Amino acid sequence: MAIASVKTIIHVAGARPNYMKVAPVIEALRPVAGIRQLLVNTGQHYDESMAGSFFKELDLPRPDRDLGVGSGTHAVQTAKVMMAFEEVCLAEKPDLVVVVGDVNSTMAASLVAAKLVIPLAHVEAGLRSRDRYMPEEVNRIVTDRLADLLLTPSRDADDNLLAEGTPPEKIHLVGNVMIDTLRRHLRLATLDRVRDRVAVEDKRFAVLTLHRPSNVDNRETFGDILAAVRRVASEMPVVFPVHPRTRNRLAEFGLQPALDGVILTEPLGYIDFLSLTSHARLVLTDSGGLQEESTALGIPCLTLRENTERPVTVTHGTNRVVGVQTADIVSGFEQALATKWEGKIPELWDGQTGPRIARVFEEFLRS
Ligand code: UD1
């Protein structure tokens, strides 16, 4: 059924982990009559390898507005997004603002929408690490508190929201939208794609990613993690696409020699990276998204953090939270090699989350 008058939805994306969450939602809403979709790119990430390549690979439309905010302290980055996004909202008068994930752009756009009393939807609502040292945790709490529609990836997220007093009618369990993107691109993700940069054999190598400030901004913690990585690299090739923050810290702390024997690359595009993770023997990471992707792929994952906001990847999937001490990481690695970690795909991580979200939005805009 069509919506009576044309309604405008503004999607906000700004940093690398946002693009694969926005794409399936835009795609699912495309055929819906009476909806005008606009994409705003905040520019929190701006390198070709961190942003531009994702637009091309994921078939995202060219952004209607580029806010160009760039890097900065949390306050500066948040404020710049708010100032620029407020102008967009005043000009476009959207009927719904959609934010995804937990980056600074997510929270900044949410504050703007809430202050202008524009309905706000949060995709990937309800995740909690209960660790306020993690800037994303603050972003999640604020965004969820302000959102009118909370689209959750798993039941634990619903439970978190209900425990915080969110009215149940605002919560919609829709599954994990990122898995839509993963399933769609998996058949393109072959090792041949990356062979010019990384010569590894199927299931005989590990993939490492590190970028959390709590890990890489502290020399001692970073060094402890790299000591464990060297041990892993003595058993199998380790491929490490290096995030810009991490590259800067490696240089600042003089830690490059600690990576002798590790295969370093620039940050990879979405499909190239999926080529590596889907063929890896195991993954070591402090990323949130990669914990989920490895669970969807059934690949063992060692999470190099003290906590996770994605517990379903541990209770159902192939993820183990091993912390950041050298001995604990090495012991997790040995267990992963010695035993087969069976996981199952969590409920509704089925590639159909985009269409479920589109139905929630349609219903909301029609009412
Ligand atoms: C941000 C998100 C984090 C997400 C991560 C994925 C917040 C609070 N953090 O962290 O949740 O997991 O993105 O990558 O929103 N830089 C570049 N080029 C770029 C982007 C960044 O060189 O395109 C460098 C800059 O030196 C910058 C640093 O990386 O200062 C960190 O970038 P920033 O966006 O502040 O945080 P991330 O660590 O990327």
Side-chain angles (χ1 to χ4, degrees):
M1 198 204 299
I3 295 167
S5 61
V6 172
K7 305 281 187 182
T8 298
I9 296 183
I10 295 188
H11 303 272
V12 181
R16 184 170 66 175
N18 288 165
Y19 308 120
M20 52 291 251
K21 298 170 190 168
V22 173
V25 182
I26 292 183
E27 161 102 10
L29 283 165
R30 232 173 238 143
V32 181
I35 288 186
R36 169 179 171 250
Q37 303 193 73
L38 298 177
L39 175 59
V40 171
N41 181 27
T42 67
Q44 178 175 341
H45 285 171
Y46 40 84
D47 288 347
E48 176 66 13
S49 62
M50 298 291 287
S53 71
F54 288 78
F55 276 86
K56 291 175 203 139
E57 288 192 328
L58 301 179
D59 265 342
L60 277 164
R62 181 190 288 271
D64 298 279
R65 297 289 190 93
D66 267 307
L67 307 185
V69 300
S71 300
T73 63
H74 287 271
V76 167
Q77 199 169 53
T78 305
K80 280 183 164 174
V81 174
M82 287 185 71
M83 289 164 70
F85 187 60
E86 185 182 53
E87 280 182 28
V88 176
C89 287
L90 290 172
E92 299 293 347
K93 302 189 173 29
D95 299 285
L96 183 66
V97 166
V98 182
V99 296
V100 298
D102 55 16
V103 300
N104 284 345
S105 301
T106 310
M107 181 188 71
S110 300
L111 282 165
V112 170
K115 293 274 177 133
L116 293 174
V117 202
I118 299 166
L120 173 70
H122 183 205
V123 175
E124 200 186 86
L127 299 184
R128 296 288 182 271
S129 65
R130 298 179 177 79
D131 176 0
R132 293 270 179 113
Y133 285 97
M134 209 182 167
E136 293 81 359
E137 184 72 353
V138 177
N139 295 340
R140 293 181 199 115
I141 292 168
V142 172
T143 302
D144 285 343
R145 192 72 195 162
L146 299 176
D148 303 283
L149 293 172
L150 296 115
L151 295 307
T152 58
S154 47
R155 286 192 190 273
D156 57 280
D158 292 35
D159 295 343
N160 290 335
L161 293 171
L162 292 168
E164 289 173 10
T166 307
E169 61 275 15
K170 289 186 173 182
I171 304 170
H172 301 267
L173 176 64
V174 291
N176 191 326
V177 75
M178 222 173 53
I179 306 306
D180 290 24
T181 302
L182 182 145
R183 288 168 76 120
R184 183 173 180 164
H185 293 87
L186 198 52
R187 73 187 163 74
L188 301 173
T190 62
L191 277 181
D192 282 345
R193 278 184 72 95
V194 290
R195 213 168 294 281
D196 57 329
R197 283 149 292 159
V198 185
V200 283
E201 289 175 53
D202 198 13
K203 299 290 176 208
R204 297 197 170 184
F205 65 98
V207 176
L208 167 70
T209 79
L210 283 175
H211 75 286
R212 293 260 156 252
S214 58
N215 282 344
V216 302
D217 287 1
N218 179 309
R219 193 186 191 289
E220 201 185 328
T221 307
F222 199 2
D224 284 351
I225 293 172
L226 295 186
V229 169
R230 273 200 306 282
R231 169 75 178 74
V232 176
S234 70
E235 298 268 338
M236 63 175 69
V238 175
V239 186
F240 182 18
V242 187
H243 184 283
R245 173 191 287 279
T246 309
R247 183 187 60 214
N248 295 342
R249 295 296 173 264
L250 275 171
E252 186 184 325
F253 298 148
L255 280 170
Q256 294 104 326
L259 282 166
D260 256 6
V262 174
I263 305 168
L264 305 184
T265 75
E266 292 297 308
L268 297 175
Y270 181 77
I271 304 174
D272 283 355
F273 189 62
L274 185 58
S275 303
L276 284 180
T277 51
S278 59
H279 292 94
R281 173 69 181 82
L282 90 158
V283 166
L284 300 100
T285 190
D286 60 9
S287 142
L290 195 41
Q291 296 171 50
E292 299 181 332
E293 288 166 336
S294 51
T295 274
L297 294 165
I299 307 265
C301 176
L302 301 181
T303 293
L304 312 182
R305 286 172 44 188
E306 303 295 349
N307 50 55
T308 180
E309 62 287 338
R310 291 157 160 98
V312 73
T313 60
V314 177
T315 54
H316 291 61
T318 46
N319 185 24
R320 304 287 181 274
V321 180
V322 295
V324 294
Q325 307 278 325
T326 311
D328 294 336
I329 301 169
V330 171
S331 149
F333 170 64
E334 285 166 351
Q335 282 171 36
L337 287 195
T339 51
K340 192 160 164 42
W341 290 1
E342 303 279 3
K344 56 178 192 264
I345 310 290
E347 178 190 14
L348 300 178
W349 291 26
D350 58 357
Q352 292 302 314
T353 294
R356 280 191 286 271
I357 292 172
R359 284 197 287 279
V360 174
F361 291 174
E362 242 188 296
E363 193 65 33
F364 178 81
L365 291 172
R366 209 186 284 138
S367 62

